[in-house]
Amino acid sequence: MPKIIVKLLTAGLLIASSMGNAQTLTSIVLDSATQKPIPYVTVQLKNKGMITNEEGRFTFLLDKNVKPTDSLIISCIGYETIGKPINQFAEKTILLRPKAIELKNVIVSNKQYTAEEIIELVNDNIEKNYSSDLTKKRLFFRKSSFQRMNKTDYTLKKSTIAAFNKKFIDSVIQTVPKSNSYYTEVLGDLYGNYDNEKQKFDLIKASELYDKSMEVDLEKLEEKFNKIIKENIKTDSYFKIKSGLFGTKVDADELFDNEVDSTDVAALNKELEEKKKNEEERKKNFARYRRNTLGDIFNSLPIREDTYLNFLSKSRRYEFTLKDFTYMGNDAVYVIDFKPKRSEDYRGTLFINSDDFALVRVDYENVKSVKSFKLLGISMNTYLSKGKIIFQKEADKPYGLRYFESEIGNRMGIKRPLKIIEKNRHVKGRNKQNELSGNIDLAFTSIDKNEVVVFETEQIAPTNFEAFEENNSILPTYMPNYDPEFWKGYNIMEPNTAIKEFTSQGESVK
């Protein structure tokens, strides 16, 4: 067999091993010296981009327009860029070599800038480096939420309803999950610019990953509670709910769902129509909420003026230190640390292109609680706020967002007396019927993580933006555990190990 045919067959087998049946390229990027995964590496194929996850993994969908000779470019700050045809990526592991620093190549002018001068040049060039034109962005948005109950203490002082005893309250506390995780993933096209009022969203596909059995437990608890109330309260009763200084009146009828007679066809049709209406509204709200969240993310970028990440727009409030030089591909990059001079919230590191003074990456974290609230036994403390943002330039186009990550952590607590009193309008004399009173002391922690990957961006005309109408009729598909087949045929950010291994309790006992 001629050598050229052998080479072609070998190349074909290598491509197939990388691409698989779904025509994808899957790999993990490692540091060649330490053999450790490199997170947030940019992977570029033609006009599309990808980012490795925190474990250094990525999967790139190769569509029918991709040729084996098309170059895949892999770059990361501080490492040598790799660029070669796809058919040469035969291994499941890609090694990046740390790039040595040559200061003479970094200092490209006769003047050695101070950190403050560099930041000033960044601000002077924002309009040139980042376009505010209308665009269509194909993106993937993942939201991960984690909750943990830290304290569930209570004291039962009085209960005139025998069923509302310590045993019942203990069962209520046991029903409340001690920890819970929720993931939602969304793929779609975001139309607009950085202005919240100039955003439209075309939802393509979405999923929800969480333990549904916890919802079922709460429904059963509500049924049990309603049954006890119905068996013990009098007709025309109402409740006074007191907690400290405040009181709330609730009619007994408000505690129960309206029951529909199964023989009443008109009532059943009305209920079905209402459910259909609610379903349509839920679809609109799901897409609308994601669009608004994405709008808030783009509006919060540090290149914007009115942003809480104000270390550029309010640079005089921060202290900057030029710490190092490095490379992002062949571009020399200034590495500048920042911290607040007085009362600002964040510190971190800026990576700034030494040629055009564009901010290409920022890593930030809070130095103190971002928000705190405490009043009458109710407290909330935003103790964690950190993230990273990566911008990338394509050819002669302006810089655009490639990756956004934020992580927000809150601690919340309720430490208050609680009293529920049943009263009746038609009972003569003292109208108090039953009473439940005690003290509650609850504390829990929540962490929300947002990740956005922008795969490709194309500029659109204002007329096209105005003509586009949102028609989001898609609801997320529920998954009790992660299904890799769900996103087959689509580019997404590779899930981490926690997502891949997530299993609902209801599924695990089957």
Side-chain angles (χ1 to χ4, degrees):
M1 184 180 293
K3 290 184 179 180
I4 185 64
I5 296 179
V6 173
K7 288 183 178 180
L8 289 172
L9 286 174
T10 303
L13 290 172
L14 293 178
I15 296 171
S17 67
S18 295
M19 295 169 63
N21 294 329
Q23 297 296 292
T24 58
L25 177 66
T26 299
S27 190
I28 181 171
V29 181
L30 303 179
D31 185 305
S32 63
T34 65
Q35 296 295 304
K36 292 182 178 180
I38 309 175
Y40 317 115
V41 174
T42 299
V43 183
Q44 190 80 16
L45 178 62
K46 300 178 80 172
N47 63 338
K48 296 182 180 180
M50 176 64 68
I51 293 284
T52 63
N53 67 5
E54 63 262 46
E55 298 168 351
R57 301 182 182 277
F58 76 92
T59 296
F60 216 131
L61 178 68
L62 307 177
D63 59 38
K64 61 183 180 180
N65 297 320
V66 174
K67 301 175 183 178
T69 54
D70 287 337
S71 290
L72 191 73
I73 300 172
I74 301 175
S75 60
C76 184
I77 288 177
Y79 290 89
E80 292 184 0
T81 296
I82 292 178
K84 57 184 180 181
I86 297 171
N87 57 15
Q88 294 184 23
F89 285 94
E91 302 296 330
K92 292 295 184 181
T93 299
I94 297 174
L95 300 178
L96 290 187
R97 291 190 300 178
K99 189 165 185 176
I101 306 300
E102 297 180 20
L103 294 185
K104 64 181 180 180
N105 293 332
V106 178
I107 307 301
V108 293
S109 70
N110 293 329
K111 182 175 180 181
Q112 296 188 17
Y113 294 105
T114 65
E116 287 75 15
E117 289 172 331
I118 294 171
I119 298 302
E120 186 175 346
L121 286 165
V122 171
N123 282 316
D124 290 342
N125 286 277
I126 282 179
E127 288 189 13
K128 182 183 72 174
N129 287 325
Y130 308 92
S131 172
S132 58
D133 293 338
L134 296 170
T135 61
K136 173 186 173 184
K137 305 177 187 69
R138 172 61 59 89
L139 55 79
F140 178 75
F141 173 32
R142 175 183 291 139
K143 185 178 183 67
S144 308
S145 299
F146 312 95
Q147 296 83 35
R148 177 176 295 277
M149 187 67 73
N150 302 320
K151 183 190 288 187
T152 53
D153 293 342
Y154 75 94
T155 302
L156 182 61
K157 291 184 176 180
K158 182 178 181 180
S159 176
T160 59
I161 299 178
F164 282 143
N165 51 28
K166 186 177 184 301
K167 182 179 179 181
F168 173 77
I169 296 177
D170 284 340
S171 69
V172 172
I173 291 175
Q174 290 174 3
T175 303
V176 177
K178 297 296 181 290
S179 61
N180 192 18
S181 301
Y182 170 84
Y183 305 92
T184 181
E185 297 178 329
V186 168
L187 181 71
D189 291 324
L190 184 67
Y191 292 76
N193 51 27
Y194 297 108
D195 188 347
N196 282 29
E197 297 179 359
K198 284 285 188 180
Q199 300 281 356
K200 295 181 181 180
F201 191 46
D202 183 21
L203 181 60
I204 297 173
K205 199 171 186 180
S207 68
E208 286 182 315
L209 175 64
Y210 64 98
D211 192 342
K212 216 168 189 177
S213 66
M214 295 184 181
E215 285 188 339
V216 175
D217 291 341
L218 292 175
E219 289 175 1
K220 289 181 178 178
L221 175 63
E222 184 179 1
E223 291 175 3
K224 188 175 180 180
F225 179 81
N226 287 346
K227 182 180 179 182
I228 294 172
I229 292 293
K230 284 183 176 181
E231 291 174 351
N232 288 274
I233 68 170
K234 292 180 171 59
T235 306
D236 295 326
S237 285
Y238 65 93
F239 295 92
K240 278 282 188 179
I241 301 175
K242 296 182 178 180
S243 181
L245 300 176
F246 302 101
T248 303
K249 177 182 174 182
V250 180
D251 286 325
D253 292 342
E254 296 179 22
L255 294 174
F256 313 117
D257 294 327
N258 293 326
E259 297 179 359
V260 178
D261 185 353
S262 61
T263 62
D264 189 339
V265 177
L268 281 174
N269 288 337
K270 184 178 180 180
E271 184 185 28
L272 290 173
E273 189 64 29
E274 191 67 26
K275 286 183 178 179
K276 182 180 178 182
K277 183 179 178 181
N278 291 339
E279 186 76 0
E280 291 300 319
E281 200 61 31
R282 182 176 169 236
K283 289 178 181 179
K284 292 179 182 177
N285 288 338
F286 179 82
R288 186 182 299 124
Y289 177 74
R290 268 69 200 173
R291 180 197 66 200
N292 292 341
T293 302
L294 288 167
D296 290 340
I297 286 173
F298 277 89
N299 201 42
S300 71
L301 297 177
I303 59 173
R304 303 286 290 162
E305 288 188 8
D306 188 17
T307 171
Y308 66 93
L309 301 175
N310 61 359
F311 27 81
L312 290 181
S313 59
K314 300 290 191 294
S315 58
R316 293 183 180 181
R317 301 179 183 180
Y318 292 85
E319 179 182 325
F320 298 93
T321 305
L322 180 58
K323 299 293 292 186
D324 205 350
F325 301 95
T326 187
Y327 285 93
M328 186 170 183
N330 295 321
D331 296 327
V333 176
Y334 295 108
V335 182
I336 296 178
D337 286 351
F338 67 91
K339 63 181 180 180
K341 290 180 178 178
R342 290 179 291 276
S343 60
E344 295 300 325
D345 298 324
Y346 295 99
R347 67 182 176 193
T349 303
L350 306 171
F351 299 85
I352 297 165
N353 188 304
S354 65
D355 183 32
D356 55 19
F357 298 97
L359 175 67
V360 294
R361 175 170 168 170
V362 56
D363 301 338
Y364 67 90
E365 63 180 356
N366 59 310
V367 296
K368 61 179 182 178
S369 294
V370 176
K371 295 179 183 176
S372 60
F373 172 86
K374 191 171 185 180
L375 180 66
L376 301 175
I378 299 176
S379 62
M380 190 276 287
N381 179 21
T382 304
Y383 71 94
L384 175 66
S385 178
K386 67 177 184 178
K388 62 180 77 273
I389 302 167
I390 298 174
F391 297 96
Q392 190 169 355
K393 186 176 183 180
E394 297 178 11
D396 296 328
K397 296 180 181 179
Y399 286 84
L401 180 68
R402 177 65 74 201
Y403 177 72
F404 175 93
E405 175 188 301
S406 69
E407 196 168 348
I408 307 293
N410 288 294
R411 296 190 183 100
M412 288 152 281
I414 303 173
K415 189 175 184 180
R416 298 177 62 82
L418 177 65
K419 185 179 289 187
I420 303 175
I421 304 171
E422 178 198 351
K423 293 190 175 184
N424 192 277
R425 299 181 181 88
H426 302 298
V427 175
K428 295 181 180 180
R430 192 179 182 188
N431 65 353
K432 184 166 72 172
Q433 304 299 305
N434 287 295
E435 181 179 336
L436 174 68
S437 63
N439 295 317
I440 56 174
D441 188 0
L442 307 177
F444 54 97
T445 303
S446 69
I447 295 178
D448 292 316
K449 182 177 182 180
N450 290 324
E451 294 175 278
V452 177
V453 181
V454 179
F455 301 121
E456 54 185 311
T457 302
E458 63 178 275
Q459 189 170 338
I460 58 174
T463 52
N464 292 339
F465 176 80
E466 296 299 334
F468 175 75
E469 294 184 6
E470 293 181 324
N471 182 27
N472 292 309
S473 59
I474 296 174
L475 276 176
T477 299
Y478 169 70
M479 295 190 292
N481 44 50
Y482 196 79
D483 180 9
E485 294 297 312
F486 180 80
W487 289 108
K488 191 174 182 179
Y490 295 92
N491 269 327
I492 69 166
M493 187 176 191
E494 187 74 5
N496 60 24
T497 301
I499 295 176
K500 289 180 178 178
E501 295 180 353
F502 181 90
T503 303
S504 296
Q505 294 180 11
E507 290 289 312
S508 61
V509 296
K510 289 181 180 180

